[in-house]
Amino acid sequence: MSSLAAEPTRLSNAAIREYAERIGEHYNIYDRAGTADVRALVRELGGSIAIGDTRESLRVIREGQFVIYLPRVTSSRRDRFTIAHELGHYFLHYLHAKRADGAIFGRGERNDVETQANVFAASLLMPAEPFRKTYARLRGDTHAIARILEVSPAAVEVRAQVLGLR
């Protein structure tokens, strides 16, 4: 099991956003309101989620077998972003990197690898076109959008900025 620092993918942020959205569409994780079922995606990929006295992280045993660790003390919206973030590591820094060994990815540092996982998470949870439509329909009401997509208002604000809506 390798816990060496992951290398950032060479994909651009635009390519990461497109990759995340394609994954969400491929696995059909969105309901009518556009809310992503990231827990179902974890199960479909062969992963599991463990909650306990731990920090947010991902442990990959091999392709199709991994565990996302969540602390007990976080909100459901935070957990959803963390799950999507850890899936970003799985897809970008494990599968796309073609790693064959096990790996551990911890959260909390500020570096390119973590930024890439955040870009992936935001795009998986809030795909561009459905987000734009919801944003327009709700006239940019950050809190209403956050409730529908089950993310934090801060995540909505960042996504709106990235998409040039603010």
Side-chain angles (χ1 to χ4, degrees):
M1 184 81 47
S2 171
S3 61
L4 298 174
E7 290 293 318
T9 181
R10 292 186 179 191
L11 295 173
S12 68
N13 282 348
I16 292 169
R17 287 190 287 270
E18 183 180 321
Y19 184 36
E21 290 186 24
R22 281 196 333 256
I23 288 166
E25 291 167 8
H26 175 78
Y27 287 98
N28 195 29
I29 66 169
Y30 304 107
D31 67 13
R32 285 185 162 179
T35 307
D37 189 343
V38 290
R39 290 176 184 270
L41 179 56
V42 168
R43 286 189 304 273
E44 182 148 354
L45 294 169
S48 62
I49 297 170
I51 299 171
D53 297 324
T54 184
R55 57 178 267 216
E56 302 158 351
S57 61
L58 167 68
R59 179 174 178 241
V60 181
I61 294 92
R62 67 182 66 83
E63 183 176 338
Q65 188 178 5
F66 61 90
V67 181
I68 295 174
Y69 294 93
L70 300 174
R72 265 184 239 285
V73 296
T74 53
S75 70
S76 63
R77 291 180 184 187
R78 169 70 182 205
D79 289 347
R80 285 172 44 74
F81 198 90
T82 297
I83 293 165
H85 174 97
E86 301 305 343
L87 285 169
H89 284 308
Y90 183 68
F91 279 102
L92 296 170
H93 308 122
Y94 188 80
L95 294 179
H96 189 266
K98 298 183 179 4
R99 292 184 69 155
D101 59 338
I104 298 171
F105 301 92
R107 190 160 179 210
E109 297 178 30
R110 290 186 179 251
N111 57 38
D112 290 343
V113 170
E114 292 301 301
T115 297
Q116 290 174 342
N118 282 337
V119 168
F120 183 97
S123 301
L124 185 67
L125 292 170
M126 300 172 278
E129 285 313 308
F131 182 88
R132 282 186 177 98
K133 289 176 183 172
T134 300
Y135 188 90
R137 182 172 52 84
L138 297 175
R139 297 184 182 96
D141 183 336
T142 301
H143 291 280
I145 297 165
R147 276 191 302 279
I148 289 169
L149 299 179
E150 297 179 27
V151 296
S152 70
V156 169
E157 289 178 16
V158 170
R159 188 67 170 144
Q161 289 172 353
V162 166
L163 295 174
L165 301 172
R166 287 202 176 215

